[in-house]
């Protein structure tokens, strides 16, 4: 039997549990693409009352993505039996010790304690929900991804494909995918990033970009560069050249470049002393 330590250097094995009552079927493609960044979706289950018409949009998608539907009848009106079923399954899966993490797909704060309990057992918890998701559930996860980001990616990709179909080869060259006009990037939290840099930087003011990203995620699980119009943290930092310096140094053990970032204001403060 494989233990957690035996595959620690491999991709993480994840259990994906979807609250169909509180998730949109339109995100499913982008959802599993996003989950693939963090590991392998070894278990995919979706909970809801499949006898009613309200979950009709999910039925075809479940077959396409090999998601196991879990039937939960609404025994009492106004009571959410789906939540209880998902929580019980999550604990059963936890005690098999076959997983490295869980993906909880819901905008319901009822899963806040579940997320916390899973983390107490050393699991990594990835949350997926709409921007209306209550903050306690967001904070209880290691990483929280707003599904509006996933939907906007799908819209942007569809728009790009449509443009390619209409444009000739010469027109396609040099064109970059753009976000849908309806999605306006949020204001970059420069002061928040600068404060973290001041805390983690070496004496010379520089800090590895990877360390910055890890620290930000610990403090704000919902932080995502895509909210600010950038696919990666490095792009976000480059866009704020007025406040931060970014440079490449040497190479990582895997052969890739190592990026370092510095708070310009902190540098000027030290020089003034």
């Amino acid at each position: 039997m494989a233990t957690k330590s035996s595959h620690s250097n491999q991709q993480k094995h994840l259990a994906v549990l979807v609250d169909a009552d509180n998730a949109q079927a339109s995100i499913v493609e982008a959802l599993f693409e996003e989950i693939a960044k963090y590991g392998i979706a070894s278990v995919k289950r979706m909970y809801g009352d499949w006898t009613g018409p309200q979950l009709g949009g999910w039925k075809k998608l479940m077959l396409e993505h090999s998601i196991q539907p879990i039937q939960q009848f609404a025994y009492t009106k106004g009571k959410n039996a789906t939540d209880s079923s998902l929580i019980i399954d999550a604990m059963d899966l936890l005690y098999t010790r076959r997983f490295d993490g869980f993906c909880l797909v819901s905008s319901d704060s009822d899963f806040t304690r579940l997320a916390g309990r899973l983390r107490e057992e050393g699991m990594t918890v990835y949350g997926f929900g709409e921007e209306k998701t209550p903050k306690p559930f967001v904070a209880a996860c290691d990483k929280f991804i707003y599904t509006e980001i996933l939907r906007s990616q799908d819209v942007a990709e569809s728009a790009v494909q449509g443009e390619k179909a209409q444009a000739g080869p010469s027109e396609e060259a040099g064109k970059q995918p753009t976000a849908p006009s309806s999605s306006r990037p949020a204001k970059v939290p420069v002061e928040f990033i600068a404060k973290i840099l001041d805390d983690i930087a070496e004496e010379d003011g520089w800090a590895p970009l990877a360390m910055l990203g890890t620290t930000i995620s610990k403090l704000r699980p919902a932080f995502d560069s895509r909210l600010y119009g950038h696919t990666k943290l490095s792009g976000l930092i480059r866009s704020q050249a007025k406040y931060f310096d970014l440079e490449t140094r040497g190479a990582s053990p895997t052969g890739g470049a190592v990026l370092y970032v510095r708070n310009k204001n902190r540098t000027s403060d030290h020089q003034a002393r």
Side-chain angles (χ1 to χ4, degrees), residues 62-166:
M62 285 192 301
L63 293 174
E64 293 177 354
H65 294 274
S66 189
I67 305 171
Q68 180 184 2
I70 306 296
Q71 171 62 31
Q72 183 58 58
F73 293 100
Y75 297 115
T76 305
K77 192 171 184 179
K79 298 292 185 180
N80 196 339
T82 298
D83 293 0
S84 300
S85 180
L86 190 156
I87 291 169
I88 291 170
D89 272 11
M91 298 309 293
D92 286 343
L93 292 170
L94 169 66
Y95 291 127
T96 66
R97 304 299 177 187
R98 294 187 292 113
F99 301 94
D100 301 287
F102 284 74
C103 298
L104 304 179
V105 186
S106 179
S107 302
D108 193 338
S109 63
D110 288 349
F111 298 112
T112 301
R113 181 65 187 115
L114 173 63
R117 183 70 182 87
L118 294 172
R119 291 180 70 186
E120 287 174 7
E121 292 291 330
M123 296 290 106
T124 302
V125 178
Y126 303 96
F128 296 82
E130 297 178 359
E131 290 183 1
K132 68 180 182 182
T133 304
K135 290 183 179 180
F137 180 36
V138 174
C141 300
D142 290 285
K143 175 75 176 174
F144 196 92
I145 297 93
Y146 288 122
T147 53
E148 284 83 357
I149 294 174
L150 305 182
R151 283 201 292 270
S152 66
Q153 283 182 176
D154 278 348
V155 171
E157 289 172 6
S158 297
V160 170
Q161 293 301 322
E163 289 177 5
K164 285 183 178 180
Q166 295 177 7

Side-chain angles (χ1 to χ4, degrees), residues 231-264:
T231 57
K232 294 183 178 180
L233 181 59
S234 57
L236 186 152
I237 294 297
R238 285 193 181 95
S239 73
Q240 302 299 312
K242 178 180 177 181
Y243 305 102
F244 307 110
D245 289 320
L246 189 69
E247 71 173 27
T248 303
R249 298 183 185 178
S252 68
T254 58
V258 179
L259 293 174
Y260 278 75
V261 60
R262 177 174 61 178
N263 179 4
K264 284 185 175 180

